[in-house]
Amino acid sequence: MKYSSTQTDNGFHSKNVALLQSLLSIGTTTACYFIALYLGHVKLWPPPMISDCGVHPPEKFLFSIGLVCAAFLMFLFIWIVESAGKIYSSRKTAWLLGVPSSIGLMVLAVCNCEDYSVLHDIGTAIYFVCFALWCLAGSFKELNLTREKTTKWVRIRQVLCIVNVIFGLLMGFFLLKGYDNTTWQVATCEWIAVFAVEFYLATFYWDLGDEYIVKQVKEY
């Protein structure tokens, strides 16, 4: 719901959910990478898959906790901003694509790629495919739902969406061609696609501004 910037008692700005989700995801994956690298669990080159940075203790605990929290924030963001009718995609798209992507992120975070490889791969596939389609729908197909003029943030999201789709498809292409997860081509594509997704979400921090808040309402 839209409010003036002064009406924030018993509430918080919706934009903060998007920024916190993005920072938590980027911070978690980056921290796990450096911890795993320092402890010798991954190599500097070729770069590891993101999931390989969450296999061994202690980084696997941070990986699971951080990304599960990020998945919850992604669900909260989609529910608050999209399903509440902010601007960028229909409620149907939000629930059919946005929510499954957050569930996929939670599954891949909890089920690491060595102990529960099948569940991890399913969660990863759901996360990548559903989120890419959600970004495409919100950035291009359903852009006419917006009640405001196209802003620079819409254009930036369109670019990030294309980057995500290109490198996601390249990663799938390399895997289909027989490249395994230890090759730099596959890992590099994954890192770029994931960071494009997170920066995509972060743009809503500036796009939403101070006009939209989540507010607690007491019923009498």
Side-chain angles (χ1 to χ4, degrees):
M1 187 175 292
K2 205 169 184 175
Y3 294 90
S4 68
S5 59
T6 59
Q7 292 177 284
T8 56
D9 293 340
N10 301 319
F12 60 92
H13 290 295
S14 300
K15 66 179 185 178
N16 293 331
V17 178
L19 183 63
L20 183 58
Q21 196 283 336
S22 180
L23 291 176
L24 185 58
S25 295
I26 293 173
T28 297
T29 52
T30 303
C32 288
Y33 167 72
F34 283 111
I35 293 171
L37 183 65
Y38 176 77
L39 295 175
H41 297 158
V42 298
K43 297 179 180 179
L44 181 63
W45 190 264
M49 298 290 285
I50 294 175
S51 299
D52 292 333
C53 302
V55 173
H56 303 287
E59 64 268 20
K60 76 174 185 178
F61 305 120
L62 175 62
F63 187 87
S64 294
I65 294 172
L67 291 187
V68 165
C69 291
F72 170 75
L73 288 172
M74 181 184 290
F75 171 82
L76 185 62
F77 168 78
I78 291 167
W79 179 73
I80 289 172
V81 182
E82 305 293 349
S83 296
K86 176 7 185 163
I87 39 179
Y88 294 108
S89 73
S90 66
R91 295 186 180 186
K92 183 178 180 180
T93 299
W95 287 105
L96 290 180
L97 296 175
V99 172
S101 70
S102 65
I103 296 173
L105 178 59
M106 188 175 295
V107 172
L108 74 87
V110 173
C111 305
N112 72 56
C113 58
E114 286 197 1
D115 296 333
Y116 308 98
S117 59
V118 174
L119 287 174
H120 179 87
D121 291 344
I122 292 173
T124 301
I126 292 173
Y127 169 66
F128 271 102
V129 173
C130 288
F131 201 92
L133 292 174
W134 180 74
C135 289
L136 283 170
S139 299
F140 295 97
K141 182 178 182 297
E142 298 181 338
L143 195 60
N144 61 325
L145 293 177
T146 186
R147 293 191 286 269
E148 303 167 357
K149 66 180 182 179
T150 300
T151 66
K152 66 179 180 180
W153 299 112
V154 172
R155 298 303 185 196
I156 290 172
R157 275 196 293 277
Q158 288 176 335
V159 172
L160 291 170
C161 176
I162 293 171
V163 170
N164 170 255
V165 170
I166 288 174
F167 282 93
L169 290 174
L170 278 175
M171 181 174 65
F173 171 77
F174 285 129
L175 290 172
L176 289 174
K177 291 291 288 185
Y179 290 70
D180 60 35
N181 293 347
T182 62
T183 58
W184 68 268
Q185 292 94 335
V186 176
T188 301
C189 288
E190 183 191 39
W191 280 93
I192 294 175
V194 168
F195 271 65
V197 162
E198 298 308 328
F199 288 131
Y200 181 99
L201 285 176
T203 63
F204 283 96
Y205 176 80
W206 294 276
D207 204 5
L208 290 172
D210 295 328
E211 295 181 337
Y212 291 85
I213 69 170
V214 180
K215 190 174 181 65
Q216 246 183 332
V217 179
K218 185 177 181 181
E219 294 186 357
Y220 294 93

